[in-house]
Amino acid sequence: MTTTFSARGAAPETARPYIEQFDRLQGELPGAGLAWLAELRRQGRDRFAEIGFPTVRNETWKYTNLRALDKLSFEPASPTPRAGIDTLPTVRPAGAQGPRLVFIDGRFHAELSSTAGLPEGVELLSLADALRTKPDFVAEHLGRLAQPDDLPLVALNTAFLTDGPLLHVPQGVAVEQPVEIVHVTLAGDRPSAVHPRTLIVAGTGARVTVVEHHVGFGTGADLANHVAEVFVADEATVRHYKVQREGTESFHFSHAAATVGTNGHYDNFILTTGARLSRNEVRSTLAGTDSSTHVSGAYMVRGGQHCDTSTFIDHAQPNGTSREVYKGAIDDTARAVFQGKILVRPGAQKTDGYQINRALLLSDNAEIDSKPELEIYADDVKCSHGATIGELDEDALFYMRARGIEKDQARSLLIGAFLAEAIEEIADETVREAFQEIASGWMASR
Amino acid sequence: MIEIKNLHATVDGKEILRGIDLTIRPGEVHAIMGPNGAGKSTLSYLLAGREGYEITEGSVTYYGKDLLEMEPEERAAEGVFLAFQYPVEIPGVANTTFLKVALNALRKHRGEKELDAMQFLKLVREKTKALGMSDDMLKRAVNVGFSGGEKKRNESLQMAVLEPKFAILDETDSGLDIDALRIVAEGVNALRSPERSMLVITHYQRLLDYIVPDHVHVLAAGRIVRSGGKELAVELEKNGYRDFGANEAA
């Protein structure tokens, strides 16, 4: 994306409180003694000080207005006791154990976490710990894929990054069980902010499935600003799934940047039902030949929720395949945004790109803004995109009611069938079924 | 008993039904015949509860209740069943899921225990077999990719599973070849019983060779203009509808 955020001279008003917090806290952040990290953080700080939060004047933020953030002053979340957490979300069958890292208000919680069942050589630990025990490995990867330059929230995350999961699957190792990452926000009395950083590194021929759960147990306003960097080496497969069910006062931002090597494969699927305002950016770069990426999702919003999905598929090498299937159900006065960009660089011949976003408007006041964008610099490529907006099929609704199915249940069945087409894109059966159940729960819960 | 009295209805301000009177007793099969545009489909949709019709006069009493006050799902729960002329395709909803949800909704309404997956499967397999349908049709999405004949068989299957008290068959013969017609008609005939009423709506007499009615009515320009026994259908087949103000018989 070639968006330019022009520096506006003095620090934008919106950035100032964050810059003041950073200058006050930087010495206490994990890895503060590491010179390279201090430098990286300073770059993030300076960039954010320069550009502040994006505004609708920035082309890529045209449909998502962050003005609501101005009225709230978020403090960095402080570690909280685990009060009130009885059950954590999981895709596993009841009672089943598996590798899992839990973060509460952005901080690693060792007691609730486990690395049991991981094959030998696989590393799963908190970034804060990794900065102590294996700083060189972190230095090799951190900040390599998510650059702050034109991404204000990545800049902010880079300055404040504190903790998050680090998963390293070495060459040739396949992890059969999904690795679960649980992010819990407790949202106390005052608005708090977390800036987690995820690193997933899959070596040559490695295979792993990661499931992120984002849940809120509080009712207050909070800001979660995630950045994930995913390294998929040659012949490796990373399936990266996420379900975001935060409270309806939350602001949720995430930027996932993946790079895929020759014959490698990266899947990303995001299921969104939560947050007052959310934006998920997915940037998948096919950096090796014959690589592929499937970037899909389902979003279900109502009330006054706002949900933005912005994807960027970068076909940098020949014979790459990308597939995007998004489906959304939007009710009440909620609004969803889909921006999907596919870039085919010169020389990326035989690229096959497909993108579709289908939205179902369940009320007259619901809104969807869909913006596909193809930028193609190679001449032997196949790229298609589409966007549709529809309403529930009244004929189908009547047909079901005429058979005795109550109106609400008929609506649920139709919405579920509509969203299932996206959820079916999930390759992992356990995750697919769990996500379908969450989607059904959304429909039944109104 | 179903009593339709002086029923007038308009669609987009245009009067389609202009005073229908019809009484159907338990166990009776009535046929309504008539030219295109006579109001046959309007009557069937209206009885099933579809929106978009304004009833300007008259009433429909269904076993003592005001049918027109009920939601479509309440009517279904009370035993009204419309076999659609054009069954609707529902992508993403499996035929079995649809049938099971519908049957259990009706059972719940009647105060009966809902069927579990095994019990349901047993029931539906029996009915499927009787109608010469493949199990494959149960797994597929409702009517999606079904041929015309398969769609009509699917309607018959739903009727067989839901066991309505009052079935309205709207142009059930359209789009069927003679073999499919026979199978569907046998399915319908198997459901004839002293407690069950049927209203068979058709343009052609052909269907009535297989589903033999007790009474035949001619609907033209929104009114029943003639009623008689099953021999009336034969007469219509010979002379067409031109005696009843229709300018076409096709």
Side-chain angles (χ1 to χ4, degrees):
Chain A
M1 280 179 228
T2 50
T3 313
T4 49
F5 284 88
S6 53
R8 279 170 282 182
E13 272 311 302
T14 57
R16 192 166 296 146
Y18 297 88
I19 299 306
E20 285 170 8
Q21 283 166 19
F22 177 80
D23 292 346
R24 197 170 69 237
L25 286 171
Q26 56 177 319
E28 298 162 28
L29 294 169
L34 299 166
W36 63 268
L37 184 57
E39 172 58 19
L40 192 68
R41 284 199 169 113
R42 194 195 54 75
Q43 283 169 16
R45 174 219 181 269
D46 290 354
R47 189 60 183 147
F48 189 72
E50 209 176 343
I51 57 184
F53 284 112
T55 72
V56 290
R57 285 192 300 271
N58 305 124
E59 183 57 24
T60 58
W61 287 85
K62 193 175 163 189
Y63 304 106
T64 295
N65 196 323
L66 299 186
R67 259 184 327 208
L69 287 176
D70 299 351
K71 299 186 195 83
L72 297 158
S73 69
F74 294 95
E75 297 283 328
S78 47
T80 33
R82 58 175 279 205
I85 304 172
D86 297 325
T87 48
L88 289 168
T90 179
V91 295
R92 296 185 220 286
Q97 305 284 312
R100 169 172 89 176
L101 294 191
V102 178
F103 296 85
I104 297 175
D105 284 333
R107 298 292 186 135
F108 177 57
H109 200 290
E111 267 174 63
L112 293 170
S113 303
S114 164
T115 57
L118 284 174
E120 208 183 315
V122 175
E123 295 168 289
L124 177 65
L125 71 165
S126 89
L127 184 64
D129 288 345
L131 285 168
R132 279 196 304 275
T133 58
K134 45 188 309 170
D136 294 346
F137 183 84
V138 179
E140 251 177 76
H141 297 95
L142 188 68
R144 299 293 157 147
L145 301 182
Q147 310 272 343
D149 307 3
D150 58 352
L151 299 165
L153 290 153
V154 171
L156 186 63
N157 176 287
T158 304
F160 280 96
L161 69 91
T162 306
D163 211 345
L166 184 155
L167 171 64
H168 176 212
V169 184
Q171 181 172 348
V173 176
V175 183
E176 297 303 332
Q177 288 200 65
V179 174
E180 295 197 285
I181 309 293
V182 184
H183 291 280
V184 179
T185 45
L186 292 175
D189 310 335
R190 62 202 173 87
S192 62
V194 294
H195 305 275
R197 176 70 63 119
T198 297
L199 289 181
I200 299 170
V201 182
T204 306
R207 297 173 65 87
V208 68
T209 297
V210 176
V211 184
E212 293 182 21
H213 299 268
H214 298 256
V215 289
F217 288 151
T219 50
D222 52 68
L223 169 68
N225 177 30
H226 293 261
V227 174
E229 296 177 275
V230 185
F231 301 80
V232 185
D234 296 352
E235 316 279 341
T237 295
V238 173
R239 303 196 195 281
H240 186 188
Y241 305 122
K242 165 177 168 179
V243 47
Q244 188 270 103
R245 289 190 279 171
E246 289 180 1
T248 48
E249 290 303 313
S250 295
F251 294 84
H252 180 95
F253 301 103
S254 84
H255 179 88
T259 180
V260 189
T262 302
N263 274 316
H265 181 77
Y266 175 66
D267 270 359
N268 181 295
F269 187 99
I270 300 176
L271 180 69
T272 297
T273 64
R276 165 182 173 182
L277 186 153
S278 65
R279 168 149 160 144
N280 286 299
E281 296 174 354
V282 181
R283 192 179 278 218
S284 186
T285 302
L286 297 179
T289 60
D290 301 281
S291 55
S292 59
T293 188
H294 290 181
V295 176
S296 297
Y299 46 89
M300 288 148 273
V301 282
R302 59 182 164 223
Q305 286 181 287
H306 179 107
C307 167
D308 175 331
T309 304
S310 295
T311 66
F312 179 29
I313 310 295
D314 185 346
H315 284 272
Q317 292 293 329
N319 296 320
T321 305
S322 65
R323 178 177 168 84
E324 296 177 78
V325 178
Y326 283 89
K327 290 204 138 187
I330 311 159
D331 205 352
D332 305 323
T333 59
R335 184 177 176 191
V337 176
F338 176 80
Q339 305 185 104
K341 180 171 173 174
I342 302 175
L343 169 66
V344 181
R345 293 188 190 264
Q349 302 294 8
K350 306 283 182 193
T351 284
D352 186 350
Y354 174 78
Q355 176 195 92
I356 185 86
N357 176 52
R358 293 191 197 279
L360 192 58
L361 299 182
L362 300 173
S363 98
D364 291 343
N365 298 315
E367 187 179 330
I368 172 77
D369 296 287
S370 234
K371 193 181 101 178
E373 199 183 343
L374 302 186
E375 213 176 303
I376 300 174
Y377 299 104
D379 54 14
D380 185 14
V381 303
K382 198 168 86 188
C383 262
S384 65
H385 66 81
T388 65
I389 301 170
E391 295 171 6
L392 278 183
D393 180 350
E394 287 296 327
D395 288 338
L397 206 53
F398 172 64
Y399 188 62
M400 296 175 111
R401 296 177 71 193
R403 295 293 176 257
I405 302 172
E406 296 217 8
K407 194 177 179 182
D408 282 349
Q409 197 178 5
R411 280 171 60 97
S412 277
L413 278 168
L414 289 177
I415 298 167
F418 175 80
L419 295 169
E421 275 185 69
I423 294 172
E424 277 159 17
E425 293 289 314
I426 297 173
D428 185 288
E429 194 186 346
T430 314
V431 178
R432 187 169 62 238
E433 283 170 6
F435 279 27
Q436 185 66 55
E437 200 169 305
I438 293 166
S440 304
W442 179 83
M443 291 171 275
S445 69
R446 60 165 304 123
Chain B
M1 189 159 77
I2 301 110
E3 287 175 283
I4 302 172
K5 280 188 185 155
N6 191 31
L7 188 63
H8 290 252
T10 61
V11 177
D12 298 328
K14 190 169 169 247
E15 192 168 39
I16 307 290
L17 301 184
R18 299 158 181 257
I20 301 227
D21 288 285
L22 183 63
T23 299
I24 305 170
R25 291 179 184 81
E28 289 179 351
V29 175
H30 289 240
I32 290 192
M33 301 184 70
N36 291 333
K40 300 193 300 291
S41 281
T42 297
L43 178 64
S44 59
Y45 277 142
L46 196 148
L47 292 174
R50 192 190 176 105
E51 284 170 23
Y53 303 98
E54 198 189 339
I55 290 139
T56 47
E57 232 185 303
S59 66
V60 180
T61 310
Y62 178 83
Y63 291 89
K65 291 181 181 166
D66 182 352
L67 187 76
L68 302 177
E69 280 297 303
M70 297 183 200
E71 297 290 336
E73 56 268 39
E74 287 178 75
R75 299 182 197 200
E78 292 288 334
V80 177
F81 181 94
L82 169 64
F84 283 60
Q85 182 180 3
Y86 303 108
V88 181
E89 298 186 3
I90 313 178
V93 177
N95 220 3
T96 36
T97 309
F98 174 68
L99 262 178
K100 182 164 174 261
V101 172
L103 177 63
N104 279 336
L106 299 190
R107 292 181 67 94
K108 201 172 152 190
H109 182 87
R110 297 197 292 247
E112 296 165 9
K113 204 167 167 284
E114 295 183 29
L115 295 187
D116 65 29
M118 289 309 290
Q119 293 166 317
F120 172 75
L121 214 62
K122 191 168 172 286
L123 170 83
V124 84
R125 284 238 168 91
E126 278 167 28
K127 309 274 187 191
T128 310
K129 217 172 146 195
L131 284 162
M133 287 170 68
S134 64
D135 278 3
D136 177 58
M137 277 171 71
L138 290 172
K139 289 181 208 140
R140 281 152 66 186
V142 180
N143 293 325
V144 176
F146 284 30
S147 69
E150 285 174 331
K151 282 182 181 172
K152 294 298 170 76
R153 265 187 234 189
N154 204 25
E155 295 292 290
S156 308
L157 173 67
Q158 292 171 22
M159 189 159 84
V161 170
L162 302 177
E163 301 185 311
K165 215 154 69 173
F166 175 40
I168 306 153
L169 280 64
D170 188 5
E171 306 274 1
T172 289
D173 49 333
S174 69
L176 290 187
D177 62 31
I178 200 74
D179 293 328
L181 177 65
R182 192 174 294 130
I183 291 166
V184 168
E186 277 168 12
V188 172
N189 286 330
L191 287 169
R192 288 180 79 149
S193 85
E195 298 81 38
R196 188 168 287 134
S197 322
M198 292 189 189
L199 184 61
V200 181
I201 291 173
T202 183
H203 187 98
Y204 301 106
Q205 184 251 346
R206 186 178 73 153
L207 177 67
L208 304 181
D209 289 342
Y210 296 93
I211 304 171
V212 181
D214 303 305
H215 304 274
V216 175
H217 311 275
V218 180
L219 184 69
R223 273 195 201 96
I224 289 176
V225 292
R226 208 172 142 196
S227 296
K230 57 179 181 262
E231 66 287 347
L232 179 55
V234 181
E235 186 189 325
L236 282 167
E237 185 71 4
K238 211 158 58 184
N239 301 334
Y241 293 109
R242 55 183 186 274
D243 300 346
F244 305 103
N247 53 14
E248 52 80 46

